[in-house]
Amino acid sequence: MKFRLLQFSKAFALIFILFACTENAPEIPLGEYDSGILIMNEGSFGSNDGEVYHLNPSTDELKANIFEDANARPFAGLLQDMVLENDRLYLVANTGKVEVVNPGDFSSLGSVTADLDQPRSLTVNSGKLFISDYGPYDASYATPESYIAVVNNTLGGQVSTKIPVSRKPEDLISFGKYVLVAGSEEGKVEVIDAEKSELIESIEVEGSPSRFFEANGSIYLFSPNGDELILYSFHMDNFTLATTTSYPIANATGKFAKDENGVLYILTSSGWPDYQDGIALLDILGTDIDPTWYEGSGFYGIGYDSVLDEIYVTNSNGFQGNGTVTVLGEDATEKRSFEVGRGPSGFLFR
């Protein structure tokens, strides 16, 4: 009897503690932009008018220029990438800066505004920012001095060191204490030890490596290669190639969206002068492939809404005024469209 009473007393005490903790735990209210869709508008060259719009898909309310509204100053750059890591949103401008904002209300938390040339993307690792940068153009408009800029504070500040890498680095991804870099022009994947801020490995690949993504427990590299698309995966214990798979998808641009089942929606373009564009569908975990799933012209960005199972594709409209967004169903039917900012190029679904 004493043992049962003791058990009951302990159970009651535990319930009381858990209830007390639940009652006393402060609830953190969601910010205005912690849900919905963030639309990245690159802006036009020379005007540096890149900005972020916010869409509430439940009400179709579209709010423009949310960085400027939150901080009483324009973004003032060409917006290249939006990266959400550790409850901070990094706005990367290829005109030479990174803005760090609170993703809930877009208020400024910090920035990197010096010692950058043409930043492309970033990742956070070991309490540092690692920023891919083309570096300066030389007299022939080549970029022989590309690098990864390291900032020893996740809220920004000064560049502490620059790690030389192959020409035109694009996307980065973190794995443990390592950072992988997609070297688009020379066909390389370079590995950085984030703790030491040192380059330790270089992997030769074909095509033009552009972006990393995760699927089925693996890290993949997306590498367009003319008339085909190549996907690579890696052995992450020794940084060697695990799989190399080619698909008959021509003119992939390097921009794609992925659904939760491993289906990629890939922007394709014939380029100048015809700009015959499209969206190819590729199921990397199955067998489905459709190089002409959706066709058009002027496509510039793409995203996937996993809540409503919809594909968002942007059109730059030749940078003659504002761009537009068209929303597609999974059967490629057009559901609605709306106008956004100049050069819409990407999305962040929250």
Side-chain angles (χ1 to χ4, degrees), residues 176-189:
K177 69 168 187 172
Y178 301 102
V179 172
L180 276 63
V181 183
S184 66
E185 190 167 281
E186 296 183 55
K188 293 183 179 180
V189 174

Side-chain angles (χ1 to χ4, degrees), residues 103-181:
D105 61 12
F106 258 65
S107 59
S108 177
L109 299 174
S111 63
V112 185
T113 58
D115 295 325
L116 295 175
D117 293 283
Q118 301 181 75
R120 305 293 292 177
S121 189
L122 65 72
T123 191
V124 178
N125 196 309
S126 303
K128 309 173 189 177
L129 301 181
F130 291 83
I131 306 167
S132 57
D133 198 306
Y134 279 7
Y137 286 120
D138 63 12
S140 302
Y141 292 98
T143 57
E145 300 179 21
S146 297
Y147 57 86
I148 304 301
V150 183
V151 178
N152 293 329
N153 190 323
T154 58
L155 290 177
Q158 299 298 312
V159 173
S160 63
T161 189
K162 294 181 178 180
I163 305 170
V165 292
S166 61
R167 293 188 301 271
K168 291 185 171 56
E170 293 287 354
D171 194 27
L172 310 98
I173 192 169
S174 288
F175 177 81
K177 69 168 187 172
Y178 301 102
V179 172
L180 276 63
V181 183

Side-chain angles (χ1 to χ4, degrees), residues 30-279:
L30 288 176
E32 182 177 1
Y33 308 125
D34 279 324
S35 61
I37 302 170
L38 298 176
I39 303 170
M40 180 173 68
N41 301 285
E42 181 179 303
S44 56
F45 183 76
S47 298
N48 288 357
D49 54 353
E51 252 294 357
V52 181
Y53 284 22
H54 177 264
L55 175 67
N56 183 332
S58 299
T59 64
D60 286 333
E61 179 185 1
L62 183 67
K63 189 170 182 179
N65 304 332
I66 62 176
F67 179 90
E68 183 172 0
D69 284 351
N71 299 290
R73 59 182 174 90
F75 178 74
L78 294 179
L79 189 52
Q80 178 66 36
D81 202 2
M82 294 189 300
V83 180
L84 180 64
E85 290 204 29
N86 301 330
D87 296 323
R88 290 165 184 164
L89 183 62
Y90 297 90
L91 307 177
V92 182
N94 62 15
T95 38
K97 70 171 182 175
V98 174
E99 295 277 3
V100 189
V101 300
N102 181 327
D105 61 12
F106 258 65
S107 59
S108 177
L109 299 174
S111 63
V112 185
T113 58
D115 295 325
L116 295 175
D117 293 283
Q118 301 181 75
R120 305 293 292 177
S121 189
L122 65 72
T123 191
V124 178
N125 196 309
S126 303
K128 309 173 189 177
L129 301 181
F130 291 83
I131 306 167
S132 57
D133 198 306
Y134 279 7
Y137 286 120
D138 63 12
S140 302
Y141 292 98
T143 57
E145 300 179 21
S146 297
Y147 57 86
I148 304 301
V150 183
V151 178
N152 293 329
N153 190 323
T154 58
L155 290 177
Q158 299 298 312
V159 173
S160 63
T161 189
K162 294 181 178 180
I163 305 170
V165 292
S166 61
R167 293 188 301 271
K168 291 185 171 56
E170 293 287 354
D171 194 27
L172 310 98
I173 192 169
S174 288
F175 177 81
K177 69 168 187 172
Y178 301 102
V179 172
L180 276 63
V181 183
S184 66
E185 190 167 281
E186 296 183 55
K188 293 183 179 180
V189 174
E190 287 152 305
V191 183
I192 292 171
D193 184 319
E195 293 179 352
K196 298 178 180 179
S197 297
E198 293 179 359
L199 183 66
I200 63 169
E201 188 67 65
S202 181
I203 308 168
E204 300 282 343
V205 295
E206 294 185 41
S208 300
S210 60
R211 281 181 58 190
F212 297 100
F213 66 94
E214 297 182 57
N216 200 31
S218 297
I219 291 178
Y220 289 87
L221 173 69
F222 185 97
S223 186
N225 191 33
D227 291 336
E228 64 179 358
L229 168 68
I230 306 175
L231 297 183
Y232 295 96
S233 68
F234 304 91
H235 295 295
M236 301 306 294
D237 55 343
N238 59 7
F239 299 111
T240 57
L241 291 176
T243 62
T244 301
T245 310
S246 299
Y247 300 93
I249 296 176
N251 301 320
T253 64
K255 294 181 178 180
F256 64 89
K258 183 178 73 70
D259 75 7
E260 64 275 15
N261 297 314
V263 174
L264 303 184
Y265 296 90
I266 302 161
L267 283 191
T268 64
S269 179
S270 64
W272 187 87
D274 298 325
Y275 289 102
Q276 295 178 354
D277 301 339
I279 300 174

